[in-house]
Amino acid sequence: MKQKKWLQHFFVAGVVLVSASAIVAAAETVPAADDDLFEIHARPLLVSHCIRCHGESKQEAGLNLATRAGLLAGGDSGPAIVPGKPDESLLLEALRYESYEMPPTGKLGDPLIAGIAAWVAAGADWPAGTVLTPANPITAADREWWCFQPLADPAVPDPPAELSGWCQNELDAFIAHRLAKEGLEPAAAAPPGVLLRRLAYSATGLPPSERLLVETDGGRTLADPAARDRLVEELLASKTYGEHQARFWLDLVRYADSDGYRADGGRPHAKAYRDYCVRSFNADKPYDRFVLEQLAGDEIDPGNRDAVIGTMFLRHWIYEWNQRDVATQWQKILDDLTETTADVFLAQSLRCARCHDHKFDPLLQRDYYRLQAFFAPFQPTEGKPVADLATLATFAEQQQAWEEATADLRRRLDAIERPLLIQHAKGQPPEHQLAELAARQYTFQPEKLDKLLDEAAATERKQLLEQLAAYDSLKPKPLPTQAFVASDVGPEAPVTHIPDDREKTPIAPGILTLLNPAPADIEPPPPALNSTGRRTALARWIVSPENPLTARVIVNRIWQQHFGRGLVATPNEFGHLGQQPTHPELLDWLAGWFMQEGWSLK
């Protein structure tokens, strides 16, 4: 009995616009030469519907349809074609929906299938050396989508004469221009008490205090623009401003005080990130700096405790400490980092591209793993040193001197302890990452070694430890550390590849192909950091003025926060499944102004 395995994941991929009518017309003309059958029937169909999942870079079920040799070799269920015998070819069986029903999104038209049958019947001629490659699925129309366009620099419109007195700033001018275009009039000014409450709630999330009610005479003094300005400055300077802003941000980045899964362990150190956010908003930390710290604070400013705490952004995934399948859980963690980063900073719903090219947006499956490659060396850290580069370098030198002086003693100790201790100090970067995750499921108490060793071994161990202690003066003093943060597993990053790719073709870090198909330019950090620099490269691109997404995304979030609905009503989705901006010129003006003003949220 034939199995369906080899074409089980035969997804429709690629967007080569091959006209079915053209193929029908070609099939109805005079008989074509054998090599013409390939160009007319085989190449268009395979490129359009097959090789993105069954090509050179990815072979689901072991099937490569990009070469004639691949078709003849077939996949898990055998050869895909038998030249001269279409009725015995699994490819035709799948296209005819006789058993495999491929592609799964719908059976292709009979003329298309008949063309492939004719090609196989004629011997499946294939030009020597030809390797089919997926057509570029990103079209000119994709590149024209609004959110991928460079930020415009729109001129502030002149308000209509009848609304010139109503406008108090540039933002009002944009609104007045749109109101006039739609034949609408501005809403009436809010009563004094309503205006006071709106300002208080908008800035602090709290109603106006009794003091403010008294000082503003219930809001009546706010008729004076200077009084309004003073009140806004006072509210922005209050402690509750940062607490209010942090509440929105913590929800966005999936903050929690516990692991959030069945084994819902507590996270006692997570509150440090909450307080960091409050401090950052109250200090009006520039948003670009805020982003840099959260993605790569340990690399850009390792001696700054706040910057290191910022990397807790990378630690808020759901987690199950007793999950035995640590490899699968680790992949879920990397997926969370990839998808959350795209949602929060770029408003790109990349989740669909985890398994295949996005069906509606120009987001490729390869893009998903290009972004994930920035996080491939990520390592959760419970004791990250907080020290500047010079201190870290000195520490490393002293540590090396101690290790060289005590190498023989530690080797002899290791020979005694190794049978009883779980050793994972050596290994490849992915092994370190999984070992750290698995280590949370077991405990070992080295203080009990003496009871487990025989008398001779225990005596020798004690003597070696005494000799080792004589070298304590060479050891560097411990550095201050911060728990529940993130770093890299080392200067070497584990390889990233698409999970279904049997060839495990390495994927280098990179941004969305539509914006730049080249691999990211990674600058290795100083050796003392023991890191890759990948997250820094990602963070710097995210906050680059050339990135058309980040500033638009954050000013839209602020607009939503204050007015209940963003200029883009879908703040996490700027793609085709979301809504387009109601006021695109105003959105771009705000984004540009925001960056010119130093990325200041206040």
Side-chain angles (χ1 to χ4, degrees), residues 87 114 119 129 188 224 317 340 346 388 400 412 469 476 494 512-513 531 553 569 577 595 602:
D87 292 339
W119 169 68
D224 177 7
W317 19 270
T340 301
L346 308 175
D388 58 31
Q400 183 177 0
R412 291 160 62 188
L512 303 182
T513 298
S531 196
V553 171
L577 296 179
M595 289 190 288
K602 282 190 177 182

Side-chain angles (χ1 to χ4, degrees), residues 41 272 285 450 482:
H41 302 298
K285 180 176 291 180
D450 285 342
Q482 178 64 49

Side-chain angles (χ1 to χ4, degrees), residues 72 153 256 567:
L72 294 174
D153 185 18
L567 294 171

Side-chain angles (χ1 to χ4, degrees), residues 111-453:
L112 296 175
I113 299 172
I116 292 294
W119 169 68
V120 174
D125 182 75
W126 192 288
T130 297
V131 178
L132 301 183
T133 58
N136 185 358
I138 298 175
T139 67
D142 290 329
R143 298 184 185 281
E144 293 301 317
W145 186 248
W146 72 269
C147 73
F148 299 123
Q149 297 304 302
L151 279 178
D153 185 18
V156 178
D158 293 327
E162 65 272 19
L163 293 179
S164 59
W166 177 82
C167 293
Q168 300 182 37
N169 51 45
E170 295 91 341
L171 189 152
D172 286 351
F174 281 98
I175 299 298
H177 183 265
R178 180 63 179 274
L179 288 172
K181 180 180 178 181
E182 301 294 338
L184 300 173
E185 295 183 358
V194 172
L195 178 58
L196 175 59
R197 288 175 63 82
R198 285 179 179 173
L199 289 172
Y201 274 115
S202 188
T204 69
L206 297 173
S209 65
E210 288 295 326
R211 179 183 61 80
L212 285 180
L213 287 168
V214 171
E215 290 182 357
T216 64
D217 190 19
R220 278 177 280 275
T221 64
L222 300 181
D224 177 7
R228 287 201 301 271
D229 289 347
R230 286 194 298 272
L231 175 61
V232 170
E233 291 297 333
E234 178 181 342
L235 292 171
L236 293 179
S238 68
K239 176 185 175 183
T240 49
Y241 165 79
E243 294 170 346
H244 183 50
Q245 289 294 125
R247 184 167 60 84
F248 288 97
W249 186 260
L250 295 176
D251 285 346
L252 186 62
V253 302
R254 78 266 191 254
Y255 171 85
D257 289 318
S258 65
D259 289 339
Y261 208 53
R262 286 172 293 199
D264 195 19
R267 295 178 173 178
H269 297 288
K271 62 185 179 183
Y273 178 81
R274 175 200 66 199
D275 296 342
Y276 155 84
C277 290
V278 173
R279 287 194 301 274
S280 297
F281 288 121
N282 275 332
D284 199 20
K285 180 176 291 180
Y287 182 69
D288 56 345
R289 171 71 186 197
F290 190 51
V291 173
L292 285 167
E293 290 180 352
Q294 292 180 81
L295 290 172
D298 59 309
E299 292 182 338
I300 65 168
D301 199 355
N304 182 337
R305 183 174 293 276
D306 250 21
V308 174
I309 290 174
T311 65
M312 287 187 187
F313 166 83
L314 304 169
R315 293 295 306 272
H316 296 313
W317 19 270
I318 62 170
Y319 174 64
E320 191 171 19
W321 72 268
N322 60 356
Q323 171 57 257
R324 295 297 191 249
D325 186 0
V326 293
T328 296
Q329 182 164 216
W330 181 250
Q331 185 58 51
K332 288 184 178 296
I333 289 170
L334 292 178
D335 291 345
D336 175 271
L337 291 175
T338 305
E339 294 163 12
T340 301
T341 299
D343 283 345
V344 170
F345 302 116
L346 308 175
Q348 295 297 302
S349 191
L350 203 59
R351 192 169 291 104
C352 291
R354 186 197 309 168
C355 301
H356 53 76
D357 291 352
H358 201 290
K359 300 301 183 186
F360 303 100
D361 293 324
L363 305 174
L364 310 182
Q365 185 182 28
R366 186 174 184 83
D367 287 344
Y368 186 96
Y369 293 97
R370 276 161 60 92
L371 183 60
Q372 188 164 107
F374 286 108
F375 298 110
F378 160 77
Q379 181 69 60
T381 305
E382 305 310 324
K384 175 68 180 175
V386 180
D388 58 31
L389 276 175
T391 303
L392 289 171
T394 300
F395 181 91
E397 292 172 2
Q398 293 177 344
Q399 180 71 16
Q400 183 177 0
W402 176 82
E403 290 178 358
E404 291 173 353
T406 61
D408 182 62
L409 288 173
R410 290 184 293 108
R411 180 186 57 77
R412 291 160 62 188
L413 270 171
D414 183 66
I416 295 172
E417 298 173 347
R418 180 181 292 273
L420 300 173
L421 290 175
I422 297 174
Q423 298 293 323
H424 57 264
K426 294 183 179 180
Q428 297 301 313
E431 295 166 348
H432 275 287
Q433 291 169 318
L434 296 184
E436 288 291 331
L437 207 62
R440 302 174 186 220
Q441 300 184 32
Y442 62 80
T443 57
F444 196 87
Q445 297 171 308
E447 65 273 12
K448 293 184 177 180
L449 272 173
D450 285 342
K451 297 179 180 179
L452 299 174
L453 295 168

